[in-house]
Amino acid sequence: MMNKSIQPLQRKNLADEVAAQLQELICSGKYDIGQQLPTEPELMQQFAVGRSTIREAVRLLVNGGLVRVQQGLGTFITSRQPMAEPLAKRLHRAQYQDLNEVRLLLEVKIAEKAAMHRTKEDIAQMKDFLKQRHMHAKANNVEACMQADINFHTSIAVASQNEIMVDLYKTISTHILQSFIDRFDDTDAFLDSQALHKSLLEAIIDKNPAQALLWASKISTHSHSK
C-alpha cells in the first residue's frame, strides 16, 4: 500500500502536491515501468482530495513524461526520470547574456533560410517593421522601438518557412523583450545598428543567403548592437 509513503499535504495547490508526491514515488522505484497507478477512487482516498485534483495531478505527470493514460484501462508508468524543465520556464530564469547568445545564433540561421524562401508578402512585412524600428528609434520611443525590433526579426523567422525556428524565436523573443526593457533606457543602440539591419533586409530581398548570414553575424557581433 502507498499510504505509509504519503506525507501530509501542505501547499495550497493540492494538485501540485499530489503530483510531487507521486513523482517521488515513481522516481524512487516504487513502481516498475509499465506498472499501473492506483485507480482514481483509490488515489482520491489515499490523498484525501477530489477527483479534479487527482486528474490535474495525473495531467502534470503526463506532461512530465512519467505516465501515460490509456482510456478505459488506467494510468501506466512510462519513465522514472521526469522530462527536462520546459523551455519557456527555463528561459524565464536565464541570464541575459545566455539568452541573447542563443537568440543571435538562431537569428543567423534564420536570416540564411529567409533569403532562400522569402515571399513578396514577407518582404512587405519586414520592410514595415524595419521602418517602424527606425521611426521609434529616432523618436526615442524605447519600448515601441524594442517591440519593432523583435517584430522585424520575428518576420524574418516567418520568412524562413521553418515552423520550429519560428516557434523557438517567438519563445525566446518574449523573454528578450523583457530583458531589453530591463537593460535599455534609450534607443541609441538601436539607432546605431539600423544600417546593419537594413543591409540584412537587402540581402534577404536579393535572395543572397551568404550575405544574409554575413549581415546577421555582423549584427550579433556589433559592439553597440542590442
Side-chain angles (χ1 to χ4, degrees), residues 86-127:
L87 179 60
K89 186 176 180 181
R90 178 65 186 88
L91 292 174
H92 183 70
R93 62 182 182 84
Q95 296 293 319
Y96 172 80
Q97 183 176 354
D98 293 339
L99 193 59
N100 200 44
E101 186 176 43
V102 172
R103 178 184 71 99
L104 295 173
L105 287 170
L106 187 59
E107 283 181 359
V108 169
K109 189 61 179 178
I110 281 172
E112 182 184 34
K113 297 288 287 185
M116 298 166 63
H117 302 295
R118 95 292 183 277
T119 65
K120 290 181 179 179
E121 292 76 15
D122 293 327
I123 292 172
Q125 191 76 84
M126 288 184 278
K127 283 183 174 179

Side-chain angles (χ1 to χ4, degrees), residues 199-212:
S199 295
L200 170 59
L201 176 56
E202 289 173 351
I204 293 172
I205 292 173
D206 292 340
K207 283 200 166 185
N208 190 328
Q211 283 295 306

Side-chain angles (χ1 to χ4, degrees), residues 187-205:
T187 59
D188 289 351
F190 297 86
L191 274 173
D192 196 47
S193 62
Q194 182 71 18
L196 293 175
H197 285 71
K198 183 179 180 182
S199 295
L200 170 59
L201 176 56
E202 289 173 351
I204 293 172
I205 292 173

Side-chain angles (χ1 to χ4, degrees), residues 10-217:
Q10 301 292 334
R11 295 201 295 263
K12 292 182 180 179
N13 192 326
L14 293 180
D16 283 348
E17 181 65 27
V18 171
Q21 290 198 31
L22 284 171
Q23 177 174 317
E24 184 177 349
L25 290 168
I26 293 169
C27 294
S28 69
K30 175 74 174 179
Y31 298 99
D32 294 327
I33 303 297
Q35 187 174 349
Q36 185 176 356
L37 277 181
T39 64
E40 276 187 0
E42 289 172 332
L43 290 173
M44 289 165 59
Q45 181 178 9
Q46 290 165 357
F47 286 100
V49 295
R51 187 179 301 274
S52 62
T53 298
I54 294 300
R55 288 184 174 177
E56 175 63 14
V58 169
R59 185 187 68 80
L60 293 172
L61 294 177
V62 170
N63 291 343
L66 292 170
V67 303
R68 61 181 169 83
V69 176
Q70 287 188 254
Q71 293 298 325
L73 294 178
T75 302
F76 298 86
I77 311 302
T78 56
S79 174
R80 291 198 183 112
Q81 295 296 324
M83 292 172 59
E85 182 179 14
L87 179 60
K89 186 176 180 181
R90 178 65 186 88
L91 292 174
H92 183 70
R93 62 182 182 84
Q95 296 293 319
Y96 172 80
Q97 183 176 354
D98 293 339
L99 193 59
N100 200 44
E101 186 176 43
V102 172
R103 178 184 71 99
L104 295 173
L105 287 170
L106 187 59
E107 283 181 359
V108 169
K109 189 61 179 178
I110 281 172
E112 182 184 34
K113 297 288 287 185
M116 298 166 63
H117 302 295
R118 95 292 183 277
T119 65
K120 290 181 179 179
E121 292 76 15
D122 293 327
I123 292 172
Q125 191 76 84
M126 288 184 278
K127 283 183 174 179
D128 184 49
F129 286 134
L130 189 59
K131 181 179 179 180
Q132 291 179 34
R133 183 187 191 275
H134 193 209
M135 176 184 69
H136 291 307
K138 287 193 298 182
N140 201 34
N141 294 329
V142 182
E143 290 194 25
C145 176
M146 294 172 181
Q147 185 61 64
D149 179 87
I150 293 293
N151 291 343
F152 172 69
H153 288 288
T154 300
S155 69
I156 296 176
V158 171
S160 76
Q161 295 187 22
N162 184 313
E163 292 184 4
I164 295 175
M165 284 186 178
V166 175
D167 288 344
L168 281 174
Y169 192 80
K170 286 182 177 179
T171 300
I172 291 173
S173 66
T174 300
H175 301 281
I176 283 290
L177 180 59
Q178 185 57 54
S179 297
F180 281 172
I181 293 170
D182 293 341
R183 281 173 61 88
F184 299 112
D185 54 12
D186 61 43
T187 59
D188 289 351
F190 297 86
L191 274 173
D192 196 47
S193 62
Q194 182 71 18
L196 293 175
H197 285 71
K198 183 179 180 182
S199 295
L200 170 59
L201 176 56
E202 289 173 351
I204 293 172
I205 292 173
D206 292 340
K207 283 200 166 185
N208 190 328
Q211 283 295 306
L213 189 151
L214 175 65
W215 287 112
S217 298

